Amino acid sequence: MKKLVNSTQMKEIDAFAIDKVGIPSLVLMENAANQVVNAMEERISKEDIILVVCGSGNNGGDGLAVARILLNHGFQVDVYLVGERDKMTEETKKQLEIAENLDMVIWDDANEINFKSYTVLVDAIFGIGLDREVTGKHEKIIAIMNAFHGYVFAVDIPSGISADSGQVLGTAVRADVTITFGIEKIGQLLYPGSLHTGKLIVSDIGFPPVAVESVSSNVSMYDETDLFSLPRRSAYSNKGNYGRAVIVAGSANMSGAAYLSAKAAYRTGAGLVQIVTPEENRAILQTQLPEAILTTYYTDSLAEEAEQEKIIQAVSGADAIVIGPGIGTSDAARKVLDLVLYNAKSPLILDADALTIVSELYNKFPLLRNNPCARISELAHSVPKDTILTPHLKELARLLDKNLDEIKGNLLGTAALCTADSNLTLVMKDARTVVSHHEEQYINASGNNGMATGGSGDVLTGVIAGLLAQGMVASEAAKLGVYIHGLAGDVAAKEKSEYSLMASDIIEALTAVLK
Ligand SMILES: NC(=O)C1=CN([C@@H]2O[C@H](COP(=O)(O)OP(=O)(O)OC[C@H]3O[C@@H](n4cnc5c(N)ncnc54)[C@H](O)[C@@H]3O)[C@@H](O)[C@H]2O)[C@@H](O)CC1
Ligand SMILES: Nc1ncnc2c1ncn2[C@@H]1O[C@H](COP(=O)(O)OP(=O)(O)O)[C@@H](O)[C@H]1O
Ligand SMILES: [K+]
C-alpha cells in the first residue's frame, strides 16, 4: 500500500526535511532537477532544442536548475521566465543568478519567443503551490504549450492541476511525462489530473523516511505487493472454509448479470455460490453455470410465505450477500430487496438496481429530498453493519440526490460525506474508482477503458463477494476487489485489446491475476 498526499501534506514533508532534519532546500532542489534531467535524457537527444518555462515559486527554481544541468550536459536549452522576478522565492532567485552567471538565454516576454524553434518543453510554472485559477500570461503560455507538437515534461505536477483533487484550475498543461518528487500526489491519480500528468515517474530526491512518515495521509493506492493480503488458503480445508456467496440477481428472462456476478465470485475463490433469481432463469443459469446452487422464486407469488421463505433461507445461510445486479425495479424486485434487507445478517453488497430502488424510495420523502446526509444516514440504518455500496457516479448522484458534476468535482469530499459518520463502505465506480470507509480512502489505479463495457460492474460485485465470503473485512474486500478487478481488466485488454474486451473476459483473466 502506498500513501498519496495532497499539497498541504507534501509541504509538511518538505518543511520537515528542511527545518527539522536540516537538509538545505537548495540540496533538495538540486536533487529534484537532477532527477528531471535523468528522466529527460532517457527520452530526448542532443539534437533537441529545449525551452524550460519557469514560474516564480520553487517549481520555477527546479526548472532553472534543470535548464542549467541540461546546459552542463551539452544540450541546447533556453529559459522563459513567466513568473515575476520580484515575487521569486529565495531559492529561485539563487537559481536565476546562477543561470545568468552562465549567460543562459532567459526570455521575459513570450511575444519574443519563436516556439517553433524548440522541440522539447519543460513545464516548471506551478507545482504544489498552485492555489487559485490560472489566468493572464500564465493562461496564455499554457495554451501555447498545449498547442506544441514536441515532448512536454512537467516538473512535479502539470501546471494548473490541483494536487488535492486532480481538477483543472482554469487551464492546465498536458504533459507527456511528469517527474514528481518523493511521493505521488492525489491530483496525479484522479482524473482529469491523470490525463494531464501523462506517464508519472516518482523520483527519490532525498526526503528521509522520517520526513515522509511524519505526515499522516488517509488516502492510499495499491500495487502488486498488496496481492499478499488475499485470503489465505490451506491444504487442510474444504469448501465450507471459503464461504457461501449468495447472489440475488437477475429478473425474468434477464440472467446475464446473475451469471457474471456468480461466476466472478467462484473465480475469486468463494467455496459455494448460490444464485437467487426468478424461476424463468433456471434453465439458462443451470446450463451456463452448473457449479452454482440455484434458488428460484415465482415473481407473482412473492406475497406467499412459502415463496418468501426460500429467499429468507438463502440469505440466512450466506457468508456474503449481493443484491441488485439485473433485478430491475419492478414491484417484485422491490419486494425481494425488502426481504433481503430485513433478513440479512452477513456482509452485504448493495449494487445496481437495488441502489436505484432505494433512491426512488427516498425521493418520496420530502425530508430526504436534496439531503445527502439524511439519505445516507437512513440507508446506513436499514442495512447490515458491514454493507458495501457499489454505485457508479450516476447511481451515486441519484442515491444522494446530488448533482453529478458536483460529485465529479469533489470525489473525495463526496466519499467522505457518505462514510465519515457511518460504517458503510462506498465503492464509487469510475475510471479511477474511489473506495471509502470512515475517514480512509483508496484510489484505484488498475484497469483501463476497455472495462467501460456492459457487465463489468457485475463482475466487480462478484469479485468483492468472493473475497467477503472468504472472510475478508468488508472495507478490505472492497479495496482489494476493485484492485484485482482492474488488474484482470488489464490482463484481458492485453489479450483482447481495449476495443474487444467484454465483461466475461475480465472473469477469465482473474485466473492470471490470482495465480
Ligand atoms: N524546498 C522545497 O520546498 C522544495 C520544493 N520543490 C518544488 O517546489 C514546488 C513548490 O514550490 P512553491 O511552494 O514555491 O510553489 P509553486 O512553485 O508551485 O508556485 C507558487 C507560486 O505561484 C503563485 N501562484 C499560485 N497559484 C497561482 C496562479 N493561479 N496564478 C498565478 N500565481 C499563482 C503563488 O502565489 C506562489 O508565488 C514543488 O512543486 C516542487 O516543484 C522541490 O524543489 C523540492 C524541494
Ligand atoms: N476507463 C476506465 N478505466 C478503468 N476502469 C473502468 C473504466 N471504465 C469503467 N471501468 C470499470 O468498469 C466497471 C463498470 O461498472 P458499471 O458502471 O457498473 O458497468 P455495468 O453496469 O455495465 O456493469 C467499474 O468497475 C469501473 O471502475
Ligand atoms: K509544473
mmCIF file with all atom_site columns, all heavy atoms in Angstrom, residues 351 390 392 395 429-433 446-458 460 485, ligand 2:
data_model
loop_
_atom_site.group_PDB
_atom_site.id
_atom_site.type_symbol
_atom_site.label_atom_id
_atom_site.label_alt_id
_atom_site.label_comp_id
_atom_site.label_asym_id
_atom_site.label_entity_id
_atom_site.label_seq_id
_atom_site.pdbx_PDB_ins_code
_atom_site.Cartn_x
_atom_site.Cartn_y
_atom_site.Cartn_z
_atom_site.occupancy
_atom_site.B_iso_or_equiv
_atom_site.pdbx_formal_charge
_atom_site.auth_seq_id
_atom_site.auth_comp_id
_atom_site.auth_asym_id
_atom_site.auth_atom_id
_atom_site.pdbx_PDB_model_num
ATOM   1   N N   . ASP A 1 351 ? -25.991 -3.167 -4.876  1.00 0.00 ? 351 ASP A N   1
ATOM   2   C CA  . ASP A 1 351 ? -25.461 -2.807 -6.192  1.00 0.00 ? 351 ASP A CA  1
ATOM   3   C C   . ASP A 1 351 ? -26.588 -2.436 -7.159  1.00 0.00 ? 351 ASP A C   1
ATOM   4   O O   . ASP A 1 351 ? -27.753 -2.810 -6.948  1.00 0.00 ? 351 ASP A O   1
ATOM   5   C CB  . ASP A 1 351 ? -24.685 -4.033 -6.734  1.00 0.00 ? 351 ASP A CB  1
ATOM   6   C CG  . ASP A 1 351 ? -23.958 -3.750 -8.038  1.00 0.00 ? 351 ASP A CG  1
ATOM   7   O OD1 . ASP A 1 351 ? -23.454 -2.628 -8.210  1.00 0.00 ? 351 ASP A OD1 1
ATOM   8   O OD2 . ASP A 1 351 ? -23.905 -4.667 -8.890  1.00 0.00 ? 351 ASP A OD2 1
ATOM   9   N N   . THR A 1 390 ? -21.978 -0.114 -4.153  1.00 0.00 ? 390 THR A N   1
ATOM   10  C CA  . THR A 1 390 ? -21.106 -0.080 -5.339  1.00 0.00 ? 390 THR A CA  1
ATOM   11  C C   . THR A 1 390 ? -21.736 0.731  -6.482  1.00 0.00 ? 390 THR A C   1
ATOM   12  O O   . THR A 1 390 ? -21.921 0.199  -7.582  1.00 0.00 ? 390 THR A O   1
ATOM   13  C CB  . THR A 1 390 ? -20.808 -1.509 -5.835  1.00 0.00 ? 390 THR A CB  1
ATOM   14  O OG1 . THR A 1 390 ? -22.071 -2.194 -5.978  1.00 0.00 ? 390 THR A OG1 1
ATOM   15  C CG2 . THR A 1 390 ? -19.934 -2.283 -4.898  1.00 0.00 ? 390 THR A CG2 1
ATOM   16  N N   . HIS A 1 392 ? -21.980 3.421  -9.624  1.00 0.00 ? 392 HIS A N   1
ATOM   17  C CA  . HIS A 1 392 ? -21.173 4.291  -10.474 1.00 0.00 ? 392 HIS A CA  1
ATOM   18  C C   . HIS A 1 392 ? -21.638 5.712  -10.190 1.00 0.00 ? 392 HIS A C   1
ATOM   19  O O   . HIS A 1 392 ? -22.592 5.924  -9.422  1.00 0.00 ? 392 HIS A O   1
ATOM   20  C CB  . HIS A 1 392 ? -21.220 3.884  -11.940 1.00 0.00 ? 392 HIS A CB  1
ATOM   21  C CG  . HIS A 1 392 ? -22.584 3.769  -12.546 1.00 0.00 ? 392 HIS A CG  1
ATOM   22  N ND1 . HIS A 1 392 ? -23.448 4.834  -12.616 1.00 0.00 ? 392 HIS A ND1 1
ATOM   23  C CD2 . HIS A 1 392 ? -23.245 2.717  -13.104 1.00 0.00 ? 392 HIS A CD2 1
ATOM   24  C CE1 . HIS A 1 392 ? -24.565 4.450  -13.199 1.00 0.00 ? 392 HIS A CE1 1
ATOM   25  N NE2 . HIS A 1 392 ? -24.471 3.150  -13.487 1.00 0.00 ? 392 HIS A NE2 1
ATOM   26  N N   . GLU A 1 395 ? -25.336 6.570  -10.458 1.00 0.00 ? 395 GLU A N   1
ATOM   27  C CA  . GLU A 1 395 ? -26.134 5.936  -9.397  1.00 0.00 ? 395 GLU A CA  1
ATOM   28  C C   . GLU A 1 395 ? -25.926 6.663  -8.069  1.00 0.00 ? 395 GLU A C   1
ATOM   29  O O   . GLU A 1 395 ? -26.872 6.840  -7.287  1.00 0.00 ? 395 GLU A O   1
ATOM   30  C CB  . GLU A 1 395 ? -25.759 4.446  -9.259  1.00 0.00 ? 395 GLU A CB  1
ATOM   31  C CG  . GLU A 1 395 ? -26.316 3.603  -10.401 1.00 0.00 ? 395 GLU A CG  1
ATOM   32  C CD  . GLU A 1 395 ? -25.672 2.218  -10.515 1.00 0.00 ? 395 GLU A CD  1
ATOM   33  O OE1 . GLU A 1 395 ? -24.589 1.982  -9.922  1.00 0.00 ? 395 GLU A OE1 1
ATOM   34  O OE2 . GLU A 1 395 ? -26.242 1.376  -11.228 1.00 0.00 ? 395 GLU A OE2 1
ATOM   35  N N   . LYS A 1 429 ? -17.622 3.827  -8.409  1.00 0.00 ? 429 LYS A N   1
ATOM   36  C CA  . LYS A 1 429 ? -17.012 3.264  -9.617  1.00 0.00 ? 429 LYS A CA  1
ATOM   37  C C   . LYS A 1 429 ? -16.845 4.338  -10.688 1.00 0.00 ? 429 LYS A C   1
ATOM   38  O O   . LYS A 1 429 ? -17.765 5.079  -10.982 1.00 0.00 ? 429 LYS A O   1
ATOM   39  C CB  . LYS A 1 429 ? -17.894 2.152  -10.179 1.00 0.00 ? 429 LYS A CB  1
ATOM   40  C CG  . LYS A 1 429 ? -17.931 0.923  -9.304  1.00 0.00 ? 429 LYS A CG  1
ATOM   41  C CD  . LYS A 1 429 ? -18.744 -0.185 -9.952  1.00 0.00 ? 429 LYS A CD  1
ATOM   42  C CE  . LYS A 1 429 ? -20.181 0.161  -10.079 1.00 0.00 ? 429 LYS A CE  1
ATOM   43  N NZ  . LYS A 1 429 ? -21.040 -0.987 -10.419 1.00 0.00 ? 429 LYS A NZ  1
ATOM   44  N N   . ASP A 1 430 ? -15.648 4.377  -11.237 1.00 0.00 ? 430 ASP A N   1
ATOM   45  C CA  . ASP A 1 430 ? -15.364 5.304  -12.329 1.00 0.00 ? 430 ASP A CA  1
ATOM   46  C C   . ASP A 1 430 ? -14.031 4.859  -12.929 1.00 0.00 ? 430 ASP A C   1
ATOM   47  O O   . ASP A 1 430 ? -13.485 3.836  -12.529 1.00 0.00 ? 430 ASP A O   1
ATOM   48  C CB  . ASP A 1 430 ? -15.278 6.733  -11.771 1.00 0.00 ? 430 ASP A CB  1
ATOM   49  C CG  . ASP A 1 430 ? -15.458 7.771  -12.877 1.00 0.00 ? 430 ASP A CG  1
ATOM   50  O OD1 . ASP A 1 430 ? -15.839 7.394  -13.998 1.00 0.00 ? 430 ASP A OD1 1
ATOM   51  O OD2 . ASP A 1 430 ? -15.204 8.958  -12.615 1.00 0.00 ? 430 ASP A OD2 1
ATOM   52  N N   . ALA A 1 431 ? -13.518 5.662  -13.880 1.00 0.00 ? 431 ALA A N   1
ATOM   53  C CA  . ALA A 1 431 ? -12.228 5.314  -14.456 1.00 0.00 ? 431 ALA A CA  1
ATOM   54  C C   . ALA A 1 431 ? -11.177 5.179  -13.341 1.00 0.00 ? 431 ALA A C   1
ATOM   55  O O   . ALA A 1 431 ? -10.268 4.361  -13.431 1.00 0.00 ? 431 ALA A O   1
ATOM   56  C CB  . ALA A 1 431 ? -11.820 6.347  -15.472 1.00 0.00 ? 431 ALA A CB  1
ATOM   57  N N   . ARG A 1 432 ? -11.273 6.015  -12.326 1.00 0.00 ? 432 ARG A N   1
ATOM   58  C CA  . ARG A 1 432 ? -10.469 5.815  -11.110 1.00 0.00 ? 432 ARG A CA  1
ATOM   59  C C   . ARG A 1 432 ? -11.465 5.605  -9.978  1.00 0.00 ? 432 ARG A C   1
ATOM   60  O O   . ARG A 1 432 ? -12.010 6.563  -9.441  1.00 0.00 ? 432 ARG A O   1
ATOM   61  C CB  . ARG A 1 432 ? -9.659  7.064  -10.766 1.00 0.00 ? 432 ARG A CB  1
ATOM   62  C CG  . ARG A 1 432 ? -8.470  7.283  -11.631 1.00 0.00 ? 432 ARG A CG  1
ATOM   63  C CD  . ARG A 1 432 ? -7.237  6.606  -11.082 1.00 0.00 ? 432 ARG A CD  1
ATOM   64  N NE  . ARG A 1 432 ? -6.079  7.015  -11.845 1.00 0.00 ? 432 ARG A NE  1
ATOM   65  C CZ  . ARG A 1 432 ? -5.551  6.306  -12.844 1.00 0.00 ? 432 ARG A CZ  1
ATOM   66  N NH1 . ARG A 1 432 ? -6.080  5.165  -13.194 1.00 0.00 ? 432 ARG A NH1 1
ATOM   67  N NH2 . ARG A 1 432 ? -4.499  6.742  -13.486 1.00 0.00 ? 432 ARG A NH2 1
ATOM   68  N N   . THR A 1 433 ? -11.694 4.357  -9.655  1.00 0.00 ? 433 THR A N   1
ATOM   69  C CA  . THR A 1 433 ? -12.649 4.071  -8.591  1.00 0.00 ? 433 THR A CA  1
ATOM   70  C C   . THR A 1 433 ? -12.082 4.498  -7.239  1.00 0.00 ? 433 THR A C   1
ATOM   71  O O   . THR A 1 433 ? -10.896 4.295  -6.977  1.00 0.00 ? 433 THR A O   1
ATOM   72  C CB  . THR A 1 433 ? -12.982 2.568  -8.617  1.00 0.00 ? 433 THR A CB  1
ATOM   73  O OG1 . THR A 1 433 ? -13.679 2.312  -9.837  1.00 0.00 ? 433 THR A OG1 1
ATOM   74  C CG2 . THR A 1 433 ? -13.835 2.154  -7.434  1.00 0.00 ? 433 THR A CG2 1
ATOM   75  N N   . SER A 1 446 ? -5.593  0.515  -11.096 1.00 0.00 ? 446 SER A N   1
ATOM   76  C CA  . SER A 1 446 ? -5.566  -0.553 -12.099 1.00 0.00 ? 446 SER A CA  1
ATOM   77  C C   . SER A 1 446 ? -6.786  -0.407 -13.005 1.00 0.00 ? 446 SER A C   1
ATOM   78  O O   . SER A 1 446 ? -7.726  0.306  -12.679 1.00 0.00 ? 446 SER A O   1
ATOM   79  C CB  . SER A 1 446 ? -5.564  -1.926 -11.415 1.00 0.00 ? 446 SER A CB  1
ATOM   80  O OG  . SER A 1 446 ? -6.748  -2.107 -10.661 1.00 0.00 ? 446 SER A OG  1
ATOM   81  N N   . GLY A 1 447 ? -6.763  -1.088 -14.139 1.00 0.00 ? 447 GLY A N   1
ATOM   82  C CA  . GLY A 1 447 ? -7.922  -1.043 -15.037 1.00 0.00 ? 447 GLY A CA  1
ATOM   83  C C   . GLY A 1 447 ? -7.684  -0.165 -16.246 1.00 0.00 ? 447 GLY A C   1
ATOM   84  O O   . GLY A 1 447 ? -6.678  0.550  -16.328 1.00 0.00 ? 447 GLY A O   1
ATOM   85  N N   . ASN A 1 448 ? -8.599  -0.200 -17.186 1.00 0.00 ? 448 ASN A N   1
ATOM   86  C CA  . ASN A 1 448 ? -8.440  0.515  -18.455 1.00 0.00 ? 448 ASN A CA  1
ATOM   87  C C   . ASN A 1 448 ? -9.809  0.747  -19.090 1.00 0.00 ? 448 ASN A C   1
ATOM   88  O O   . ASN A 1 448 ? -10.807 0.179  -18.642 1.00 0.00 ? 448 ASN A O   1
ATOM   89  C CB  . ASN A 1 448 ? -7.550  -0.302 -19.388 1.00 0.00 ? 448 ASN A CB  1
ATOM   90  C CG  . ASN A 1 448 ? -8.166  -1.661 -19.657 1.00 0.00 ? 448 ASN A CG  1
ATOM   91  O OD1 . ASN A 1 448 ? -9.057  -1.795 -20.486 1.00 0.00 ? 448 ASN A OD1 1
ATOM   92  N ND2 . ASN A 1 448 ? -7.733  -2.676 -18.922 1.00 0.00 ? 448 ASN A ND2 1
ATOM   93  N N   . ASN A 1 449 ? -9.801  1.553  -20.174 1.00 0.00 ? 449 ASN A N   1
ATOM   94  C CA  . ASN A 1 449 ? -11.096 1.940  -20.754 1.00 0.00 ? 449 ASN A CA  1
ATOM   95  C C   . ASN A 1 449 ? -11.822 0.793  -21.474 1.00 0.00 ? 449 ASN A C   1
ATOM   96  O O   . ASN A 1 449 ? -12.996 0.926  -21.816 1.00 0.00 ? 449 ASN A O   1
ATOM   97  C CB  . ASN A 1 449 ? -10.939 3.168  -21.656 1.00 0.00 ? 449 ASN A CB  1
ATOM   98  C CG  . ASN A 1 449 ? -10.015 2.898  -22.829 1.00 0.00 ? 449 ASN A CG  1
ATOM   99  O OD1 . ASN A 1 449 ? -10.041 1.815  -23.410 1.00 0.00 ? 449 ASN A OD1 1
ATOM   100 N ND2 . ASN A 1 449 ? -9.201  3.874  -23.179 1.00 0.00 ? 449 ASN A ND2 1
ATOM   101 N N   . GLY A 1 450 ? -11.128 -0.317 -21.683 1.00 0.00 ? 450 GLY A N   1
ATOM   102 C CA  . GLY A 1 450 ? -11.819 -1.491 -22.222 1.00 0.00 ? 450 GLY A CA  1
ATOM   103 C C   . GLY A 1 450 ? -12.887 -2.004 -21.262 1.00 0.00 ? 450 GLY A C   1
ATOM   104 O O   . GLY A 1 450 ? -13.821 -2.715 -21.649 1.00 0.00 ? 450 GLY A O   1
ATOM   105 N N   . MET A 1 451 ? -12.756 -1.630 -19.997 1.00 0.00 ? 451 MET A N   1
ATOM   106 C CA  . MET A 1 451 ? -13.701 -2.101 -18.976 1.00 0.00 ? 451 MET A CA  1
ATOM   107 C C   . MET A 1 451 ? -14.996 -1.293 -18.969 1.00 0.00 ? 451 MET A C   1
ATOM   108 O O   . MET A 1 451 ? -15.935 -1.624 -18.244 1.00 0.00 ? 451 MET A O   1
ATOM   109 C CB  . MET A 1 451 ? -13.038 -2.063 -17.596 1.00 0.00 ? 451 MET A CB  1
ATOM   110 C CG  . MET A 1 451 ? -11.802 -2.932 -17.541 1.00 0.00 ? 451 MET A CG  1
ATOM   111 S SD  . MET A 1 451 ? -10.883 -2.718 -16.030 1.00 0.00 ? 451 MET A SD  1
ATOM   112 C CE  . MET A 1 451 ? -11.895 -3.673 -14.907 1.00 0.00 ? 451 MET A CE  1
ATOM   113 N N   . ALA A 1 452 ? -15.018 -0.230 -19.767 1.00 0.00 ? 452 ALA A N   1
ATOM   114 C CA  . ALA A 1 452 ? -16.260 0.540  -19.913 1.00 0.00 ? 452 ALA A CA  1
ATOM   115 C C   . ALA A 1 452 ? -17.149 -0.239 -20.878 1.00 0.00 ? 452 ALA A C   1
ATOM   116 O O   . ALA A 1 452 ? -17.337 0.136  -22.038 1.00 0.00 ? 452 ALA A O   1
ATOM   117 C CB  . ALA A 1 452 ? -15.941 1.934  -20.443 1.00 0.00 ? 452 ALA A CB  1
ATOM   118 N N   . THR A 1 453 ? -17.665 -1.352 -20.420 1.00 0.00 ? 453 THR A N   1
ATOM   119 C CA  . THR A 1 453 ? -18.455 -2.250 -21.254 1.00 0.00 ? 453 THR A CA  1
ATOM   120 C C   . THR A 1 453 ? -19.490 -2.948 -20.365 1.00 0.00 ? 453 THR A C   1
ATOM   121 O O   . THR A 1 453 ? -19.209 -3.207 -19.184 1.00 0.00 ? 453 THR A O   1
ATOM   122 C CB  . THR A 1 453 ? -17.522 -3.277 -21.962 1.00 0.00 ? 453 THR A CB  1
ATOM   123 O OG1 . THR A 1 453 ? -18.320 -4.175 -22.721 1.00 0.00 ? 453 THR A OG1 1
ATOM   124 C CG2 . THR A 1 453 ? -16.695 -4.090 -20.975 1.00 0.00 ? 453 THR A CG2 1
ATOM   125 N N   . GLY A 1 454 ? -20.656 -3.193 -20.918 1.00 0.00 ? 454 GLY A N   1
ATOM   126 C CA  . GLY A 1 454 ? -21.765 -3.730 -20.129 1.00 0.00 ? 454 GLY A CA  1
ATOM   127 C C   . GLY A 1 454 ? -21.377 -4.980 -19.354 1.00 0.00 ? 454 GLY A C   1
ATOM   128 O O   . GLY A 1 454 ? -20.788 -5.904 -19.909 1.00 0.00 ? 454 GLY A O   1
ATOM   129 N N   . GLY A 1 455 ? -21.700 -4.987 -18.068 1.00 0.00 ? 455 GLY A N   1
ATOM   130 C CA  . GLY A 1 455 ? -21.481 -6.180 -17.257 1.00 0.00 ? 455 GLY A CA  1
ATOM   131 C C   . GLY A 1 455 ? -20.219 -6.156 -16.424 1.00 0.00 ? 455 GLY A C   1
ATOM   132 O O   . GLY A 1 455 ? -20.056 -6.991 -15.520 1.00 0.00 ? 455 GLY A O   1
ATOM   133 N N   . SER A 1 456 ? -19.305 -5.188 -16.700 1.00 0.00 ? 456 SER A N   1
ATOM   134 C CA  . SER A 1 456 ? -18.061 -5.252 -15.922 1.00 0.00 ? 456 SER A CA  1
ATOM   135 C C   . SER A 1 456 ? -18.320 -4.882 -14.462 1.00 0.00 ? 456 SER A C   1
ATOM   136 O O   . SER A 1 456 ? -17.601 -5.344 -13.565 1.00 0.00 ? 456 SER A O   1
ATOM   137 C CB  . SER A 1 456 ? -16.952 -4.417 -16.545 1.00 0.00 ? 456 SER A CB  1
ATOM   138 O OG  . SER A 1 456 ? -17.361 -3.108 -16.706 1.00 0.00 ? 456 SER A OG  1
ATOM   139 N N   . GLY A 1 457 ? -19.351 -4.087 -14.205 1.00 0.00 ? 457 GLY A N   1
ATOM   140 C CA  . GLY A 1 457 ? -19.719 -3.783 -12.818 1.00 0.00 ? 457 GLY A CA  1
ATOM   141 C C   . GLY A 1 457 ? -20.240 -5.023 -12.104 1.00 0.00 ? 457 GLY A C   1
ATOM   142 O O   . GLY A 1 457 ? -19.981 -5.233 -10.910 1.00 0.00 ? 457 GLY A O   1
ATOM   143 N N   . ASP A 1 458 ? -20.982 -5.866 -12.832 1.00 0.00 ? 458 ASP A N   1
ATOM   144 C CA  . ASP A 1 458 ? -21.495 -7.109 -12.225 1.00 0.00 ? 458 ASP A CA  1
ATOM   145 C C   . ASP A 1 458 ? -20.336 -8.025 -11.837 1.00 0.00 ? 458 ASP A C   1
ATOM   146 O O   . ASP A 1 458 ? -20.383 -8.712 -10.812 1.00 0.00 ? 458 ASP A O   1
ATOM   147 C CB  . ASP A 1 458 ? -22.412 -7.844 -13.208 1.00 0.00 ? 458 ASP A CB  1
ATOM   148 C CG  . ASP A 1 458 ? -23.532 -6.943 -13.714 1.00 0.00 ? 458 ASP A CG  1
ATOM   149 O OD1 . ASP A 1 458 ? -23.980 -6.083 -12.935 1.00 0.00 ? 458 ASP A OD1 1
ATOM   150 O OD2 . ASP A 1 458 ? -23.937 -7.099 -14.879 1.00 0.00 ? 458 ASP A OD2 1
ATOM   151 N N   . LEU A 1 460 ? -17.326 -6.994 -10.979 1.00 0.00 ? 460 LEU A N   1
ATOM   152 C CA  . LEU A 1 460 ? -16.715 -6.421 -9.769  1.00 0.00 ? 460 LEU A CA  1
ATOM   153 C C   . LEU A 1 460 ? -17.478 -6.863 -8.518  1.00 0.00 ? 460 LEU A C   1
ATOM   154 O O   . LEU A 1 460 ? -16.877 -7.270 -7.520  1.00 0.00 ? 460 LEU A O   1
ATOM   155 C CB  . LEU A 1 460 ? -16.701 -4.885 -9.857  1.00 0.00 ? 460 LEU A CB  1
ATOM   156 C CG  . LEU A 1 460 ? -16.247 -4.205 -8.563  1.00 0.00 ? 460 LEU A CG  1
ATOM   157 C CD1 . LEU A 1 460 ? -14.781 -4.513 -8.276  1.00 0.00 ? 460 LEU A CD1 1
ATOM   158 C CD2 . LEU A 1 460 ? -16.463 -2.704 -8.622  1.00 0.00 ? 460 LEU A CD2 1
ATOM   159 N N   . HIS A 1 485 ? -9.985  -6.599 -9.811  1.00 0.00 ? 485 HIS A N   1
ATOM   160 C CA  . HIS A 1 485 ? -10.870 -6.441 -10.972 1.00 0.00 ? 485 HIS A CA  1
ATOM   161 C C   . HIS A 1 485 ? -10.161 -5.609 -12.064 1.00 0.00 ? 485 HIS A C   1
ATOM   162 O O   . HIS A 1 485 ? -10.157 -5.979 -13.240 1.00 0.00 ? 485 HIS A O   1
ATOM   163 C CB  . HIS A 1 485 ? -12.141 -5.739 -10.479 1.00 0.00 ? 485 HIS A CB  1
ATOM   164 C CG  . HIS A 1 485 ? -13.169 -5.426 -11.509 1.00 0.00 ? 485 HIS A CG  1
ATOM   165 N ND1 . HIS A 1 485 ? -13.447 -4.121 -11.884 1.00 0.00 ? 485 HIS A ND1 1
ATOM   166 C CD2 . HIS A 1 485 ? -14.013 -6.201 -12.223 1.00 0.00 ? 485 HIS A CD2 1
ATOM   167 C CE1 . HIS A 1 485 ? -14.417 -4.133 -12.788 1.00 0.00 ? 485 HIS A CE1 1
ATOM   168 N NE2 . HIS A 1 485 ? -14.777 -5.376 -13.014 1.00 0.00 ? 485 HIS A NE2 1
HETATM 169 N N1  . LIG B 2 .   ? -11.954 3.920  -18.306 1.00 0.00 ? 2   LIG B N1  1
HETATM 170 C C1  . LIG B 2 .   ? -11.960 3.011  -17.321 1.00 0.00 ? 2   LIG B C1  1
HETATM 171 N N2  . LIG B 2 .   ? -10.821 2.709  -16.677 1.00 0.00 ? 2   LIG B N2  1
HETATM 172 C C2  . LIG B 2 .   ? -10.826 1.808  -15.667 1.00 0.00 ? 2   LIG B C2  1
HETATM 173 N N3  . LIG B 2 .   ? -11.933 1.165  -15.222 1.00 0.00 ? 2   LIG B N3  1
HETATM 174 C C3  . LIG B 2 .   ? -13.096 1.421  -15.805 1.00 0.00 ? 2   LIG B C3  1
HETATM 175 C C4  . LIG B 2 .   ? -13.185 2.355  -16.880 1.00 0.00 ? 2   LIG B C4  1
HETATM 176 N N4  . LIG B 2 .   ? -14.487 2.423  -17.262 1.00 0.00 ? 2   LIG B N4  1
HETATM 177 C C5  . LIG B 2 .   ? -15.174 1.560  -16.482 1.00 0.00 ? 2   LIG B C5  1
HETATM 178 N N5  . LIG B 2 .   ? -14.342 0.947  -15.595 1.00 0.00 ? 2   LIG B N5  1
HETATM 179 C C6  . LIG B 2 .   ? -14.733 -0.012 -14.546 1.00 0.00 ? 2   LIG B C6  1
HETATM 180 O O1  . LIG B 2 .   ? -15.714 -0.912 -15.068 1.00 0.00 ? 2   LIG B O1  1
HETATM 181 C C7  . LIG B 2 .   ? -16.780 -1.096 -14.137 1.00 0.00 ? 2   LIG B C7  1
HETATM 182 C C8  . LIG B 2 .   ? -18.085 -0.597 -14.762 1.00 0.00 ? 2   LIG B C8  1
HETATM 183 O O2  . LIG B 2 .   ? -19.132 -0.792 -13.875 1.00 0.00 ? 2   LIG B O2  1
HETATM 184 P P1  . LIG B 2 .   ? -20.604 -0.285 -14.162 1.00 0.00 ? 2   LIG B P1  1
HETATM 185 O O3  . LIG B 2 .   ? -20.584 1.165  -14.492 1.00 0.00 ? 2   LIG B O3  1
HETATM 186 O O4  . LIG B 2 .   ? -21.452 -0.747 -13.041 1.00 0.00 ? 2   LIG B O4  1
HETATM 187 O O5  . LIG B 2 .   ? -20.975 -1.064 -15.507 1.00 0.00 ? 2   LIG B O5  1
HETATM 188 P P2  . LIG B 2 .   ? -22.087 -2.144 -15.814 1.00 0.00 ? 2   LIG B P2  1
HETATM 189 O O6  . LIG B 2 .   ? -23.353 -1.642 -15.202 1.00 0.00 ? 2   LIG B O6  1
HETATM 190 O O7  . LIG B 2 .   ? -22.141 -2.170 -17.287 1.00 0.00 ? 2   LIG B O7  1
HETATM 191 O O8  . LIG B 2 .   ? -21.629 -3.418 -15.238 1.00 0.00 ? 2   LIG B O8  1
HETATM 192 C C9  . LIG B 2 .   ? -16.380 -0.339 -12.888 1.00 0.00 ? 2   LIG B C9  1
HETATM 193 O O9  . LIG B 2 .   ? -15.718 -1.212 -12.010 1.00 0.00 ? 2   LIG B O9  1
HETATM 194 C C10 . LIG B 2 .   ? -15.416 0.727  -13.411 1.00 0.00 ? 2   LIG B C10 1
HETATM 195 O O10 . LIG B 2 .   ? -14.497 1.152  -12.438 1.00 0.00 ? 2   LIG B O10 1
#
